[in-house]
Amino acid sequence: RLVDSIRTLEGRLRFFEQACQKDPMSAYVRQHYARMLSRSKQFNLALGQIEEALKIDSEIRVLHHTKGVILSELALSTGSRDIARRRLVQSEDEFRHCLSLNNKDEYAYQTLASLYVDWARSSSDPLEVADYLAKAETVINDGLRQVRVREGLWLVSSQIQDILGNRSEYMKALQRAAAGPSVGVVPKYLLGRAYRKAGDPRNAVNILKPLVEANPDEFRACVELASAMKDLGEPYAK
């Protein structure tokens, strides 16, 4: 808040240049410099500062978080889709690296899932949208099994449902994605949930019941199936 109260970007730059001169071996000064630049939409300059921080100490997990966030901003703001896709992969690698250092890092799960959701929002291809929303839900599913603080993951999951509920072509793409015999759990879970949210519990049950029978430990699919059965008027005991 103190830094952001400096009115001009030039003033904030002077602040951090002086800080770097006073403590040139502090990775955290460079990290906060990068975060300020990112908030100011200076993403390439921010990337340069966080890379300098990682040169000082590449073992600090939060630095990789920050780099992943900056790369995600670059992916979503770059005009060229090919360059944006490279930034997307680089951002994903940073978040995956954070999870390799600590698989209970709720922030890494949330930011990786948000990256996929934001990429889906930026796409005009319904199949790509469905694919990346399924990737996001897979990350959320993994995170819910590992972390204690889950609110952020539930928030991202609700954003996915909002996207699917807004456009009929996304539902059609999801239907195609979930149709194959070797499809994983998540696309079918997403489709079943989308049916229930759209007021079609019968189709939701048809999708979710065999999924739960084959994967009884998939707790979110169990919850959706129970909710759809309740909507159909099935007895609570069942």
PDB file of all heavy atoms in Angstrom, residues 217-231:
ATOM      1  N   ASP A 217     -14.304 -43.218  -5.057  1.00  0.00           N
ATOM      2  CA  ASP A 217     -13.555 -42.269  -4.231  1.00  0.00           C
ATOM      3  C   ASP A 217     -13.600 -40.853  -4.789  1.00  0.00           C
ATOM      4  O   ASP A 217     -13.028 -39.934  -4.192  1.00  0.00           O
ATOM      5  CB  ASP A 217     -12.093 -42.721  -4.102  1.00  0.00           C
ATOM      6  CG  ASP A 217     -11.389 -42.812  -5.441  1.00  0.00           C
ATOM      7  OD1 ASP A 217     -12.080 -43.005  -6.462  1.00  0.00           O
ATOM      8  OD2 ASP A 217     -10.143 -42.705  -5.465  1.00  0.00           O
ATOM      9  N   GLU A 218     -14.271 -40.638  -5.926  1.00  0.00           N
ATOM     10  CA  GLU A 218     -14.393 -39.293  -6.495  1.00  0.00           C
ATOM     11  C   GLU A 218     -15.529 -38.563  -5.775  1.00  0.00           C
ATOM     12  O   GLU A 218     -16.685 -38.601  -6.185  1.00  0.00           O
ATOM     13  CB  GLU A 218     -14.654 -39.380  -8.001  1.00  0.00           C
ATOM     14  CG  GLU A 218     -13.468 -39.859  -8.801  1.00  0.00           C
ATOM     15  CD  GLU A 218     -12.314 -38.880  -8.771  1.00  0.00           C
ATOM     16  OE1 GLU A 218     -12.558 -37.665  -8.569  1.00  0.00           O
ATOM     17  OE2 GLU A 218     -11.164 -39.316  -8.961  1.00  0.00           O
ATOM     18  N   PHE A 219     -15.179 -37.891  -4.682  1.00  0.00           N
ATOM     19  CA  PHE A 219     -16.199 -37.375  -3.766  1.00  0.00           C
ATOM     20  C   PHE A 219     -17.061 -36.295  -4.390  1.00  0.00           C
ATOM     21  O   PHE A 219     -18.252 -36.200  -4.106  1.00  0.00           O
ATOM     22  CB  PHE A 219     -15.552 -36.870  -2.473  1.00  0.00           C
ATOM     23  CG  PHE A 219     -14.601 -35.720  -2.657  1.00  0.00           C
ATOM     24  CD1 PHE A 219     -15.028 -34.420  -2.507  1.00  0.00           C
ATOM     25  CD2 PHE A 219     -13.267 -35.951  -2.970  1.00  0.00           C
ATOM     26  CE1 PHE A 219     -14.157 -33.361  -2.671  1.00  0.00           C
ATOM     27  CE2 PHE A 219     -12.388 -34.900  -3.143  1.00  0.00           C
ATOM     28  CZ  PHE A 219     -12.832 -33.606  -3.001  1.00  0.00           C
ATOM     29  N   ARG A 220     -16.512 -35.484  -5.275  1.00  0.00           N
ATOM     30  CA  ARG A 220     -17.333 -34.424  -5.870  1.00  0.00           C
ATOM     31  C   ARG A 220     -18.367 -35.006  -6.834  1.00  0.00           C
ATOM     32  O   ARG A 220     -19.490 -34.510  -6.919  1.00  0.00           O
ATOM     33  CB  ARG A 220     -16.448 -33.401  -6.575  1.00  0.00           C
ATOM     34  CG  ARG A 220     -15.650 -32.547  -5.599  1.00  0.00           C
ATOM     35  CD  ARG A 220     -15.195 -31.267  -6.224  1.00  0.00           C
ATOM     36  NE  ARG A 220     -14.309 -31.519  -7.338  1.00  0.00           N
ATOM     37  CZ  ARG A 220     -14.042 -30.625  -8.299  1.00  0.00           C
ATOM     38  NH1 ARG A 220     -14.614 -29.451  -8.275  1.00  0.00           N
ATOM     39  NH2 ARG A 220     -13.204 -30.908  -9.262  1.00  0.00           N
ATOM     40  N   ALA A 221     -17.992 -36.060  -7.558  1.00  0.00           N
ATOM     41  CA  ALA A 221     -18.968 -36.721  -8.419  1.00  0.00           C
ATOM     42  C   ALA A 221     -20.077 -37.349  -7.575  1.00  0.00           C
ATOM     43  O   ALA A 221     -21.257 -37.333  -7.962  1.00  0.00           O
ATOM     44  CB  ALA A 221     -18.281 -37.781  -9.278  1.00  0.00           C
ATOM     45  N   CYS A 222     -19.709 -37.882  -6.408  1.00  0.00           N
ATOM     46  CA  CYS A 222     -20.719 -38.448  -5.498  1.00  0.00           C
ATOM     47  C   CYS A 222     -21.699 -37.368  -5.035  1.00  0.00           C
ATOM     48  O   CYS A 222     -22.918 -37.593  -4.993  1.00  0.00           O
ATOM     49  CB  CYS A 222     -20.040 -39.094  -4.287  1.00  0.00           C
ATOM     50  SG  CYS A 222     -19.071 -40.563  -4.663  1.00  0.00           S
ATOM     51  N   VAL A 223     -21.178 -36.209  -4.698  1.00  0.00           N
ATOM     52  CA  VAL A 223     -22.040 -35.104  -4.243  1.00  0.00           C
ATOM     53  C   VAL A 223     -22.990 -34.672  -5.361  1.00  0.00           C
ATOM     54  O   VAL A 223     -24.192 -34.458  -5.141  1.00  0.00           O
ATOM     55  CB  VAL A 223     -21.180 -33.919  -3.761  1.00  0.00           C
ATOM     56  CG1 VAL A 223     -22.042 -32.686  -3.535  1.00  0.00           C
ATOM     57  CG2 VAL A 223     -20.433 -34.291  -2.487  1.00  0.00           C
ATOM     58  N   GLU A 224     -22.453 -34.545  -6.576  1.00  0.00           N
ATOM     59  CA  GLU A 224     -23.300 -34.137  -7.698  1.00  0.00           C
ATOM     60  C   GLU A 224     -24.372 -35.187  -7.987  1.00  0.00           C
ATOM     61  O   GLU A 224     -25.526 -34.845  -8.284  1.00  0.00           O
ATOM     62  CB  GLU A 224     -22.445 -33.894  -8.947  1.00  0.00           C
ATOM     63  CG  GLU A 224     -21.666 -32.599  -8.931  1.00  0.00           C
ATOM     64  CD  GLU A 224     -22.562 -31.378  -8.878  1.00  0.00           C
ATOM     65  OE1 GLU A 224     -23.684 -31.410  -9.430  1.00  0.00           O
ATOM     66  OE2 GLU A 224     -22.152 -30.373  -8.282  1.00  0.00           O
ATOM     67  N   LEU A 225     -23.997 -36.465  -7.921  1.00  0.00           N
ATOM     68  CA  LEU A 225     -24.972 -37.522  -8.159  1.00  0.00           C
ATOM     69  C   LEU A 225     -26.076 -37.481  -7.106  1.00  0.00           C
ATOM     70  O   LEU A 225     -27.276 -37.564  -7.432  1.00  0.00           O
ATOM     71  CB  LEU A 225     -24.289 -38.889  -8.159  1.00  0.00           C
ATOM     72  CG  LEU A 225     -25.214 -40.104  -8.286  1.00  0.00           C
ATOM     73  CD1 LEU A 225     -26.041 -40.032  -9.566  1.00  0.00           C
ATOM     74  CD2 LEU A 225     -24.399 -41.401  -8.240  1.00  0.00           C
ATOM     75  N   ALA A 226     -25.693 -37.339  -5.845  1.00  0.00           N
ATOM     76  CA  ALA A 226     -26.694 -37.268  -4.773  1.00  0.00           C
ATOM     77  C   ALA A 226     -27.619 -36.067  -4.969  1.00  0.00           C
ATOM     78  O   ALA A 226     -28.838 -36.164  -4.780  1.00  0.00           O
ATOM     79  CB  ALA A 226     -25.995 -37.192  -3.417  1.00  0.00           C
ATOM     80  N   SER A 227     -27.057 -34.939  -5.369  1.00  0.00           N
ATOM     81  CA  SER A 227     -27.872 -33.734  -5.592  1.00  0.00           C
ATOM     82  C   SER A 227     -28.844 -33.935  -6.748  1.00  0.00           C
ATOM     83  O   SER A 227     -30.011 -33.525  -6.679  1.00  0.00           O
ATOM     84  CB  SER A 227     -26.966 -32.535  -5.865  1.00  0.00           C
ATOM     85  OG  SER A 227     -26.127 -32.265  -4.754  1.00  0.00           O
ATOM     86  N   ALA A 228     -28.367 -34.557  -7.826  1.00  0.00           N
ATOM     87  CA  ALA A 228     -29.240 -34.801  -8.977  1.00  0.00           C
ATOM     88  C   ALA A 228     -30.345 -35.784  -8.612  1.00  0.00           C
ATOM     89  O   ALA A 228     -31.503 -35.619  -9.020  1.00  0.00           O
ATOM     90  CB  ALA A 228     -28.414 -35.333 -10.152  1.00  0.00           C
ATOM     91  N   MET A 229     -30.025 -36.822  -7.832  1.00  0.00           N
ATOM     92  CA  MET A 229     -31.041 -37.787  -7.386  1.00  0.00           C
ATOM     93  C   MET A 229     -32.095 -37.097  -6.521  1.00  0.00           C
ATOM     94  O   MET A 229     -33.293 -37.379  -6.636  1.00  0.00           O
ATOM     95  CB  MET A 229     -30.372 -38.932  -6.633  1.00  0.00           C
ATOM     96  CG  MET A 229     -29.515 -39.831  -7.525  1.00  0.00           C
ATOM     97  SD  MET A 229     -28.503 -40.997  -6.577  1.00  0.00           S
ATOM     98  CE  MET A 229     -29.776 -42.047  -5.898  1.00  0.00           C
ATOM     99  N   LYS A 230     -31.635 -36.195  -5.666  1.00  0.00           N
ATOM    100  CA  LYS A 230     -32.583 -35.438  -4.825  1.00  0.00           C
ATOM    101  C   LYS A 230     -33.519 -34.591  -5.707  1.00  0.00           C
ATOM    102  O   LYS A 230     -34.719 -34.529  -5.467  1.00  0.00           O
ATOM    103  CB  LYS A 230     -31.820 -34.548  -3.847  1.00  0.00           C
ATOM    104  CG  LYS A 230     -32.725 -33.725  -2.927  1.00  0.00           C
ATOM    105  CD  LYS A 230     -31.929 -32.905  -1.945  1.00  0.00           C
ATOM    106  CE  LYS A 230     -31.255 -31.730  -2.624  1.00  0.00           C
ATOM    107  NZ  LYS A 230     -32.260 -30.723  -3.083  1.00  0.00           N
ATOM    108  N   ASP A 231     -32.947 -33.981  -6.739  1.00  0.00           N
ATOM    109  CA  ASP A 231     -33.764 -33.184  -7.647  1.00  0.00           C
ATOM    110  C   ASP A 231     -34.808 -34.032  -8.377  1.00  0.00           C
ATOM    111  O   ASP A 231     -35.872 -33.518  -8.751  1.00  0.00           O
ATOM    112  CB  ASP A 231     -32.876 -32.465  -8.673  1.00  0.00           C
ATOM    113  CG  ASP A 231     -32.001 -31.388  -8.050  1.00  0.00           C
ATOM    114  OD1 ASP A 231     -32.293 -30.999  -6.896  1.00  0.00           O
ATOM    115  OD2 ASP A 231     -31.037 -30.945  -8.699  1.00  0.00           O
TER     116      ASP A 231
END
